Amino acid sequence: MAVGARSGHDEPDKRAGGAFGDDTTGDDVTGDERAQPPGGGTPGEGDDDTAGGSGRGPKKQRSFWKELPLLVGIALVLALLIKTFLVQAFSIPSESMMNTLQKGDRVLVDKLTPWFGSEPERGEVVVFHDPGGWLEGQQTPTPNVVQKFLSFIGLMPSAEEKDLIKRVIAVGGDTVSCKEGGKVVLNGKALDETAYLYPGSVPCQDSFGPIKVPENRIWVMGDNRQNSLDSRFHQQLPGGGTVSEDEVVGRAVVIAWPVTRWATLPVPEVFDQPGLDQAVAAAPVGAAGLAGALPLVLWRRKKLAARHTAA
């Protein structure tokens, strides 16, 4: 029995007693030591250090609904900037530009290039503000509050502004005219406008001109000549039917809607024919000739003065 005592047969009793709570420093202490993370500290701290190294839990993602107003605000600001400086949508309200543009088409107007000094050129389709009296008596639709807001930021075509859209036929310094039933004559060159005139439309049903377009102004006409109140019909107003370049909003570059009508609006080839710039180029050539002749005149006067002195 003594051997048995010395060999440790009484240890199971102690472990059993400890398991039942006789030894309050037994398994409970061992269990606490297992749960404690390496390096000490309270339980759970090791996990936080492993995850972020900062002792804090993962950052909570911001709710989509909290970010939505910010995203909408950024989108509205971008839309306003695009409408102000880049492009703007306009709705075609009449048939004056058929078949190039049909009533209800939406066109995108380039407003960027004028900021860099670009001027309207012959053959371009441009949008311009009413110079004064062109739309007198014509009713414009009254949009609701939502339409006004969307129009203001450029997400909808302008509905209440009095703007017009026509094709530039002549620019400052050009001379334009037309005889009844004939072709439009620009700087002495007859224009073949069959590529863009409405089928069956004549270039002009009434004679006008010749008209010398003042500098920084343009002469505009619709492609549907028999259904367009353009420069021809406002010659009694200030400017003689011409439009100031300052009134031009920009050039219409593409038909954006409906998708079945999508197309670009290039300058017709007739405006690239040789000779159209002859009248404009004559002034610089004459100035160059005068500059070249001036030294000769001065030399001759000096020679004559020398003769008189010698006599």
Side-chain angles (χ1 to χ4, degrees):
M1 295 295 293
V3 173
R6 286 194 298 269
S7 64
H9 285 290
D10 56 343
E11 290 299 318
D13 295 334
K14 291 181 180 180
R15 289 195 297 270
F20 285 96
D22 295 338
D23 188 353
T24 57
T25 62
D27 291 340
D28 289 341
V29 174
T30 306
D32 289 341
E33 290 174 352
R34 282 196 205 101
Q36 189 175 13
T42 59
E45 286 183 356
D47 294 340
D48 289 341
D49 292 339
T50 304
S54 61
R56 294 179 297 178
K59 188 176 181 180
K60 188 177 180 182
Q61 188 175 3
R62 184 180 294 179
S63 170
F64 169 76
W65 297 108
K66 291 182 179 179
E67 291 184 348
L68 183 60
L70 177 62
L71 296 176
V72 171
I74 293 174
L76 293 178
V77 170
L78 289 176
L80 182 60
L81 291 175
I82 290 173
K83 176 236 180 179
T84 304
F85 299 106
L86 299 180
V87 294
Q88 183 177 356
F90 284 85
S91 178
I92 306 304
S94 70
E95 300 175 349
S96 67
M97 284 295 293
M98 288 181 63
N99 272 344
T100 304
L101 299 173
Q102 296 183 4
K103 187 175 181 179
D105 284 351
R106 264 64 170 177
V107 297
L108 296 182
V109 174
D110 170 25
K111 302 177 70 174
L112 177 63
T113 51
W115 286 89
F116 294 93
S118 176
E119 299 176 351
E121 297 183 3
R122 307 182 195 98
E124 293 180 346
V125 177
V126 297
V127 171
F128 57 94
H129 299 309
D130 183 358
W134 285 41
L135 294 176
E136 186 176 356
Q138 295 191 26
Q139 297 293 328
T140 56
T142 304
N144 56 39
V145 176
V146 176
Q147 290 174 328
K148 286 183 178 180
F149 176 72
L150 294 178
S151 175
F152 173 73
I153 63 175
L155 296 181
M156 276 189 65
S158 176
E160 61 178 348
E161 291 183 5
K162 293 187 175 183
D163 298 320
L164 301 97
I165 185 166
K166 305 292 179 188
R167 189 179 298 276
V168 179
I169 301 299
V171 296
D174 289 343
T175 300
V176 61
S177 63
C178 186
K179 292 184 178 181
E180 182 179 354
K183 294 182 177 181
V184 172
V185 177
L186 178 61
N187 295 335
K189 297 286 184 178
L191 300 181
D192 183 3
E193 302 181 278
T194 54
Y196 54 85
L197 283 188
Y198 181 70
S201 181
V202 296
C204 63
Q205 67 270 38
D206 297 317
S207 300
F208 68 86
I211 296 170
K212 181 71 174 292
V213 181
E215 292 295 333
N216 302 317
R217 301 188 73 88
I218 56 176
W219 177 272
V220 297
M221 300 173 73
D223 290 354
N224 188 3
R225 296 289 162 80
Q226 277 65 62
N227 193 14
S228 176
L229 296 176
D230 46 43
S231 291
R232 298 168 294 166
F233 299 95
H234 302 289
Q235 298 181 54
Q236 77 284 0
L237 297 176
T242 61
V243 179
S244 171
E245 292 179 355
D246 293 336
E247 300 289 348
V248 176
V249 177
R251 175 188 173 186
V253 292
V254 66
I255 303 173
W257 187 263
V259 292
T260 55
R261 290 269 303 148
W262 189 92
T264 56
L265 299 170
V267 174
E269 294 182 359
V270 66
F271 292 96
D272 294 328
Q273 64 174 305
L276 287 185
D277 290 326
Q278 184 175 0
V280 179
V285 170
L290 178 60
L294 184 59
L296 182 61
V297 172
L298 293 176
W299 174 81
R300 186 178 178 185
R301 288 175 61 87
K302 185 177 180 180
K303 188 175 181 181
L304 291 174
R307 278 184 188 177
H308 288 297
T309 303

